[in-house]
């Protein structure tokens, strides 16, 4: 087989046959790996003839098919293969304008950002006109000295037995945080999980990124008064509430049992206003909400037969548009309604939390977290099969921390599927994220440019990078940010290609600057030199807390589980000295370095340290606000470490009023005000 032809096909498909690793060493993808990946992308390449045919088919589709959506910058050129003559542009509000298409010349995009329908002859396309940049932190907080908290929702408690943190607890946290001066609460992902499988709880491997996690929902006042669960469920929730760690399977079963009872009562005696609100929600959710509700009902029915992944289902149920699926939805109309009801409750809860944050004075409010991918066996994978990569997983190539690379067990959008669908799933995902938030955090934002693709069942080292339409995706992010008046944070940690961060900043996306990584050699960098158009943080959910790092708790876990790289105590002690020196230099600490166990003083100083940063927004994890030693997640572990399970002891009503915590947050607020 001609390697040149194979590589030509790979380039056309967006696969990078050649790339550079974290050490900038040139790497080449083996031909066999390319063939497997091309096959997964719908371009058979096992023989020379298949390579030739696939290349011809790809070129034909690219040249002859007008995409349903094109992007442009406001007032910029739009190069499209349109017939000569007049064209018509219609905005979302119905306002229209006309122009003339001249052969070989681009037309000019409107100066007002938004979505337009462009008609020329028999052709029609959506024109997504992006602003120069999205809604930036300084647009929300003009002086650029804002601060906020980050929170894992499941970790929160409130003044009643719930078994796991919920949207009502998040609502309860908003008022006390705002009273101390916080402008934002960045939350863990709340994407939809699998109601039929209570064992699934990783927030970064959801079923759908367009729907919400219903386990955090509560009935509230939908029946005109607070819903009172039966005694046996109250007892189970009380048992779960007393636990230090979330028992996800038991908590999921208990909470869904409460919600099932609430649904039964709702169907029997819902007030007219509540029923009307639910009907409106279903109507606005349209086909997308209906498909998700049908998937949830189908998944439960098929899982009862031992079939978890939708590809294992009977053939006529794998197609969301099949008559068999329609018949199932009709036969199980009440069950489908139940799952739509759960989404309504979740939406109400998250909306109430955002409303509480804004009414309490926060200028941003909630910042939603957008996971990089989904489980291929979930709702998105089933309902958007042409848009989602199939039979592959995304991950990371081998590096210094993992010689075998990483397979994350999730998938994401297909670049070709994005283009051919008019970025429908991507736009829906962004809209869902902004719906009840004042901003979003895009996990692994480098995924807008490229993702490491691994064939299903293969080793991560046999993968390759797949390019994504970065310019189009950045424009759509900026446009949705502008339309929703929501800020965007891009998780840009790790090895980032040269020039990528400036492109993000130009589009209005703020990067992340984390204390542990802001160094000049072995010295910690002055916070005054951190990037202004970014977010300063002490840590993230995947890294040690300040108290845990100072105490060496993270080292203990890595040694216990033999996770590489291992760090020696003498090296950590040298880093402690370097950190304390940096904290003193920034004016937030003084005197003798605290002992290894005196981590609270270091947490105080670290909070003020990120407050001194030049960054426009400072975000302090709740773990560091409370000087907690344990981190939420330890990458590289599954059950060996209690990932996504730790809960705080104090309820949100009292959490921030603890004198030590309040003093720490007031120190952060003062540092933000300091010039």
């Amino acid at each position: 087989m001609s390697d040149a032809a194979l590589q030509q096909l790979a380039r056309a498909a967006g696969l990078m046959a050649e790339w550079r690793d974290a050490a900038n060493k040139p790497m080449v993808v083996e031909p066999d790996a390319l063939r497997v990946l091309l096959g997964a992308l719908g371009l058979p390449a096992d023989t020379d003839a298949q390579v030739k045919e696939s290349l011809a088919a790809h070129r034909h589709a690219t040249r002859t098919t007008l995409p349903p959506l094109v992007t442009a910058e406001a007032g910029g050129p739009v190069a499209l293969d349109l017939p000569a003559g007049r064209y018509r542009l219609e905005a979302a509000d119905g306002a229209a304008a006309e122009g003339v298409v001249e052969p070989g010349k681009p037309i000019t995009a409107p100066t007002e950002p938004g979505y337009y329908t462009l008609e020329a002859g028999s052709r029609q396309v959506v024109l997504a006109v992006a602003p120069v940049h999205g809604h930036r932190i300084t647009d929300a907080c003009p002086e650029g000295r804002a601060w906020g908290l980050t929170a894992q929702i499941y970790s929160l408690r409130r003044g009643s037995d719930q078994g796991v943190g919920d949207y009502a607890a998040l609502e309860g946290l908003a008022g006390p945080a705002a009273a101390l001066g916080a402008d934002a609460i960045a939350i863990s992902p709340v994407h939809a999980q699998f109601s039929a499988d209570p064992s699934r709880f990783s927030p970064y491997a959801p079923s759908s990124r367009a729907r919400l996690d219903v386990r955090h929902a509560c009935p509230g006042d939908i029946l005109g008064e607070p819903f009172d669960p039966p005694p046996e469920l109250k007892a189970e929730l009380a048992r779960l509430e007393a636990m230090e760690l979330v028992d996800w399977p038991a908590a999921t079963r208990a909470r869904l049992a409460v919600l099932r009872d609430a649904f039964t009562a709702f169907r029997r005696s819902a007030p007219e206003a509540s029923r009307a609100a639910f009907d409106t929600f279903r109507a606005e959710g349209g086909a997308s909400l209906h498909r998700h509700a049908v998937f949830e009902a189908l998944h439960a029915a098929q899982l009862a037969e031992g079939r978890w992944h939708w590809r294992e289902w009977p053939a006529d149920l794998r197609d969301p548009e099949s008559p068999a699926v329609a018949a199932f939805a009709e036969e199980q109309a009440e069950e489908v309604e139940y799952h739509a009801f759960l989404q309504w409750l979740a939406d109400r809860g998250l909306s109430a939390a955002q409303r509480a944050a804004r009414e309490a004075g926060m200028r941003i409010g909630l910042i939603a977290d957008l996971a990089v991918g989904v489980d291929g066996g979930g709702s998105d994978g089933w309902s958007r099969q042409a848009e989602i990569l199939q039979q592959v997983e995304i991950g990371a190539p081998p590096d210094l921390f993992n010689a075998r690379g990483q397979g994350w067990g999730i998938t994401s959008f297909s670049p070709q599927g994005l283009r051919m669908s008019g970025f429908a799933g991507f736009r829906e995902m962004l809209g869902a994220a902004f719906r009840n938030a004042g901003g979003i955090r895009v996990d692994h934002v480098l995924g807008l440019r490229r993702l490491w693709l691994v064939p299903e069942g293969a080793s991560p080292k046999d993968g390759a990078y797949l390019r994504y339409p970065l310019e189009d995706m950045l424009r759509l992010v900026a446009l949705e940010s502008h339309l929703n008046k929501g800020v965007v944070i891009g998780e840009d940690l790790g090895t980032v290609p040269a020039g990528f961060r400036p492109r993000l900043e130009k589009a209005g996306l703020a990067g992340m600057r984390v204390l542990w990584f802001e160094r000049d050699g072995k010295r910690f960098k002055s916070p005054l030199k951190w990037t202004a158009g970014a977010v300063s943080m002490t840590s993230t959910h995947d890294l040690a807390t300040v108290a845990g790092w100072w105490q060496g708790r993270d080292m203990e876990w890595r040694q216990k589980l033999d996770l590489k790289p291992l760090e020696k105590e003498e090296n950590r002690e040298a880093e402690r000295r370097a950190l304390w020196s940096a904290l003193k230099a920034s004016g937030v600490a003084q005197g003798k370095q605290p002992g290894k166990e005196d981590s609270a003083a270091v947490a105080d100083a670290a909070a003020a340290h990120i407050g001194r940063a030049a960054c426009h927004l400072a975000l302090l994890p709740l773990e560091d606000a409370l000087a907690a030693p344990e981190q939420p997640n330890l990458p590289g572990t599954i059950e060996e470490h209690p990932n996504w399970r730790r809960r705080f002891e104090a309820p949100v009503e009292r959490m921030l009023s603890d004198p030590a915590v309040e003093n720490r947050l007031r120190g952060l607020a003062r540092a933000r005000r300091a010039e």
Side-chain angles (χ1 to χ4, degrees):
M1 179 181 294
S2 167
D3 284 351
L6 182 66
Q7 292 194 8
Q8 186 179 16
L9 176 60
R11 284 194 297 272
L15 288 171
M16 299 169 61
E18 298 176 354
W19 57 284
R20 289 183 176 273
D21 66 11
N24 204 34
K25 178 183 176 182
M27 306 293 290
V28 177
V29 181
E30 293 295 328
D32 286 348
L34 284 179
R35 284 194 285 272
V36 173
L37 287 170
L38 285 166
L41 295 175
L43 297 168
D46 290 335
T47 66
D48 282 343
Q50 285 185 337
V51 169
K52 184 177 180 180
E53 291 170 4
S54 291
L55 186 58
H58 185 273
R59 286 174 172 170
H60 177 75
T62 303
R63 291 172 179 172
T64 60
T65 304
L66 182 68
L69 178 145
V70 294
T71 68
E73 287 190 359
V78 184
L80 280 174
D81 182 19
L82 297 174
R86 300 197 66 80
Y87 69 86
R88 184 175 187 273
L89 267 176
E90 183 173 323
D93 63 3
E98 294 189 352
V100 176
V101 177
E102 298 183 28
K105 291 186 178 181
I107 65 172
T108 301
T111 56
E112 181 64 29
Y115 290 102
Y116 296 80
T117 300
L118 171 62
E119 294 180 351
S122 61
R123 298 192 177 188
Q124 181 173 300
V125 64
V126 173
L127 182 61
V129 179
V132 175
H133 57 75
H135 190 72
R136 297 171 299 190
I137 294 169
T138 49
D139 293 320
C141 308
E143 81 289 350
R145 302 297 296 171
W147 70 274
L149 300 170
T150 74
Q152 314 294 319
I153 291 180
Y154 61 81
S155 70
L156 304 176
R157 298 181 192 270
R158 57 188 175 97
S160 60
D161 297 328
Q162 302 300 324
V164 67
D166 59 13
Y167 301 125
L170 179 63
E171 180 183 354
L173 178 65
L180 290 169
D183 275 309
I185 300 178
I187 59 175
S188 50
V190 289
H191 304 313
Q193 290 289 341
F194 299 82
S195 298
D197 186 354
S199 69
R200 296 296 301 268
F201 60 87
S202 170
Y204 290 96
S207 172
S208 172
R209 291 181 288 181
R211 299 296 153 200
L212 296 173
D213 190 337
V214 301
R215 297 169 304 179
H216 301 306
C218 55
D221 60 354
I222 59 167
L223 300 178
E225 58 185 10
F227 180 74
D228 193 28
E232 62 274 14
L233 283 177
K234 282 185 177 180
E236 174 64 354
L237 290 173
R239 182 186 74 83
L240 293 166
E241 190 69 22
M243 299 174 68
E244 181 182 355
L245 302 175
V246 177
D247 180 341
W248 278 110
T252 299
R253 286 190 290 268
R255 290 186 67 89
L256 288 180
V258 171
L259 297 177
R260 176 73 73 171
D261 284 352
F263 174 65
T264 301
F266 180 81
R267 296 189 92 238
R268 184 177 58 246
S269 58
E272 185 176 338
S274 292
R275 186 75 227 189
F278 176 47
D279 291 343
T280 298
F281 175 79
R282 290 190 78 180
E284 290 176 347
S288 175
L289 173 63
H290 178 71
R291 282 197 302 268
H292 177 74
V294 171
F295 173 85
E296 283 278 84
L298 261 175
H299 192 244
Q302 290 301 307
L303 190 56
E305 301 294 327
R307 294 183 285 265
W308 193 96
H309 200 295
W310 59 264
R311 288 206 303 262
E312 301 167 348
W313 297 356
D316 55 357
L317 296 180
R318 297 175 204 160
D319 178 5
E321 304 300 326
S322 73
V325 170
F328 173 87
E330 185 174 351
E331 293 166 5
Q332 300 295 325
E334 184 174 329
E335 192 68 9
V336 172
E337 182 184 3
Y338 165 65
H339 288 289
F341 172 82
L342 295 183
Q343 286 297 316
W344 177 55
L345 291 186
D347 184 75
R348 278 170 53 94
L350 198 57
S351 174
Q354 171 64 358
R355 186 167 56 252
R358 294 303 300 270
E359 290 177 353
M362 289 191 186
R363 290 175 290 179
I364 296 173
L366 303 183
I367 298 177
D369 200 338
L370 195 57
V372 68
V374 295
D375 190 301
S379 173
D380 284 355
W382 176 73
S383 63
R384 293 191 176 276
Q385 294 174 37
E387 299 172 56
I388 300 288
L389 292 167
Q390 306 290 338
Q391 298 182 314
V392 295
E393 64 176 325
I394 58 177
D399 57 25
L400 295 175
F401 294 96
N402 196 321
R404 297 194 309 171
Q406 301 174 53
W408 297 337
I410 55 176
T411 186
S412 191
F413 291 113
S414 153
Q416 183 70 0
L418 285 170
R419 296 187 186 95
M420 299 307 294
S421 68
F423 294 81
F426 184 69
R427 292 163 57 199
E428 179 186 47
M429 177 187 72
L430 291 174
F434 278 119
R435 177 178 169 88
N436 296 309
I440 63 173
R441 170 192 175 272
V442 182
D443 184 46
H444 192 66
V445 72
L446 187 56
L448 298 180
R449 181 179 187 267
R450 69 184 190 189
L451 284 173
W452 186 256
L453 225 60
V454 182
E456 200 170 64
S459 168
K461 67 181 179 60
D462 293 324
Y465 278 117
L466 178 65
R467 286 192 179 92
Y468 279 74
L470 175 62
E471 184 173 63
D472 289 327
M473 297 176 84
L474 278 180
R475 285 174 174 172
L476 289 170
V477 170
L479 176 54
E480 291 292 336
S481 168
H482 170 82
L483 295 176
N484 290 281
K485 296 294 182 283
V487 304
V488 183
I489 301 169
E491 189 268 292
D492 59 346
L493 305 178
T495 304
V496 177
F500 183 68
R501 285 192 176 105
R503 291 196 71 176
L504 296 182
E505 189 171 356
K506 180 178 181 293
L509 280 70
M512 292 170 54
R513 299 298 176 263
V514 178
L515 172 62
W516 309 129
F517 302 142
E518 290 302 297
R519 308 193 191 197
D520 285 323
K522 294 183 179 181
R523 300 179 61 183
F524 285 87
K525 190 185 302 183
S526 166
L528 298 177
K529 296 181 179 179
W530 294 13
T531 310
V535 176
S536 62
M537 302 180 68
T538 48
S539 192
T540 75
H541 56 249
D542 286 336
L543 300 170
T545 65
V546 171
W549 184 90
W550 192 261
Q551 295 174 15
R553 185 61 178 144
D554 59 320
M555 295 169 59
E556 293 173 12
W557 272 110
R558 298 191 76 84
Q559 289 164 359
K560 176 183 177 181
L561 302 178
D562 194 28
L563 294 175
K564 303 296 188 297
L566 297 175
E567 187 177 353
K568 296 181 179 179
E569 172 58 27
E570 54 265 33
N571 294 335
R572 178 57 61 87
E573 181 55 32
E575 290 190 322
R576 290 190 190 100
R577 290 194 296 271
L579 177 59
W580 190 249
S581 176
L583 296 175
K584 291 174 69 174
S586 66
V588 298
Q590 57 185 350
K592 184 180 178 181
Q593 176 179 316
K596 182 178 175 181
E597 298 305 317
D598 188 12
S599 54
V602 184
D604 290 344
H609 188 73
I610 66 165
R612 289 285 178 92
C615 302
H616 291 148
L617 174 65
L619 289 176
L620 184 70
L622 265 180
E623 289 78 13
D624 286 338
L626 274 62
E630 301 288 2
Q631 64 197 73
N633 180 55
L634 182 58
T637 64
I638 301 176
E639 296 181 352
E640 311 94 308
H641 180 272
N643 296 332
W644 316 118
R645 296 181 61 201
R646 299 189 187 280
R647 300 194 73 192
F648 296 122
E649 183 177 347
V652 292
E653 296 86 354
R654 301 197 312 270
M655 178 186 288
L656 304 187
S657 61
D658 177 277
V661 177
E662 182 176 346
N663 179 66
R664 193 168 294 126
L665 294 179
R666 290 197 182 281
L668 167 58
R670 285 193 299 272
R672 286 273 80 188
R673 293 193 295 269
E675 293 296 335

